[in-house]
Amino acid sequence: MKLRLLTLIFFFTTVFFVSNGQDAKALSCAEVGSPKEALEIYSGAVYGEVKQIKVDLKQEGFTGTKEKIRYIIVEVERSWNIEVDSQIIVATDYTWGFEFREGKKYLIYVSEVDGELSSSPCSSTIEMNNLSQATELFGEGVQPKQQVNLEHKMWFMFEQDIDLYIVVAIAIVLAVIIVFFVRARKKKF
């Protein structure tokens, strides 16, 4: 009985992990020209300080493709062509994305896709020390709509793959339940 149960658990675990393939992606960027020309391509640009960086593992469904995405919280001072709050979360590509540093200020070109702001690996993100450099390029811009704090939204982002932990926990719970029922059944006889 125990051997059959262990064989069954091993079989389902193996099928789960083998069926979880990875896709490869290629990157091809076109030249965009000046910063003003780049602003026309993207939804807008924001200038601000990076407050927090976190990597999250995204997956399509339970067995879909896994992809690491770097999220940054930006304390926005100004924006152009887009109106945002005082803090925004921007998704960047983990593999090819710009190497942001906490505490540094950047001019970041953003696009809005499915309600989420993202920065393309092909965008011309620029590290800038002060706002006057950005206003020289684009004009005064727009100040943030309202003061917000988005740090709580980063709490549940995990870089590790927790699927394995879930499968192990389920296997342990099932094993405990089976042992409980087997012992209870033996006591009846």
Side-chain angles (χ1 to χ4, degrees), residues 42 44 46 69-70 72 89-94 96-98 100 107-113 116-126:
Y42 299 100
V46 296
I69 299 175
R70 180 181 295 121
I72 60 171
I89 297 177
V90 179
T92 67
D93 190 280
Y94 181 77
W96 296 306
F98 189 83
F100 292 98
L107 176 69
I108 305 169
Y109 293 93
V110 294
S111 298
E112 190 170 352
V113 179
E116 181 178 75
L117 291 175
S118 65
S119 174
S120 166
C122 296
S123 71
S124 306
T125 298
I126 305 168

Side-chain angles (χ1 to χ4, degrees), residues 11-22 59 62-65:
F11 174 75
F12 282 115
T13 305
T14 303
V15 168
F16 173 76
F17 286 109
V18 169
S19 67
N20 195 6
Q22 294 290 325
Q59 184 174 359
F62 193 65
T63 60
T65 304

Side-chain angles (χ1 to χ4, degrees), residues 175-187:
V176 167
I177 291 172
I178 290 171
V179 167
F180 176 75
F181 281 119
V182 168
R183 286 187 178 175
R185 193 171 187 194
K186 283 182 180 180
K187 285 182 181 180

Side-chain angles (χ1 to χ4, degrees), residues 129-158:
N129 295 328
N130 58 42
L131 180 61
S132 63
Q133 291 173 300
T135 56
E136 286 175 19
L137 289 173
F138 304 123
E140 285 303 309
V142 180
Q143 292 190 356
K145 293 187 292 189
Q146 62 182 349
Q147 291 291 92
V148 296
N149 186 346
L150 300 178
E151 291 181 18
H152 67 278
K153 291 192 174 192
M154 302 281 259
W155 290 348
F156 298 104
M157 294 184 182
F158 300 104

Side-chain angles (χ1 to χ4, degrees), residues 64-82:
T65 304
K66 295 175 185 171
E67 180 180 14
K68 286 185 178 181
I69 299 175
R70 180 181 295 121
Y71 288 96
I72 60 171
I73 291 183
V74 180
E75 187 75 39
V76 178
E77 293 181 32
R78 292 284 165 84
S79 63
W80 294 268
N81 288 3
I82 189 170

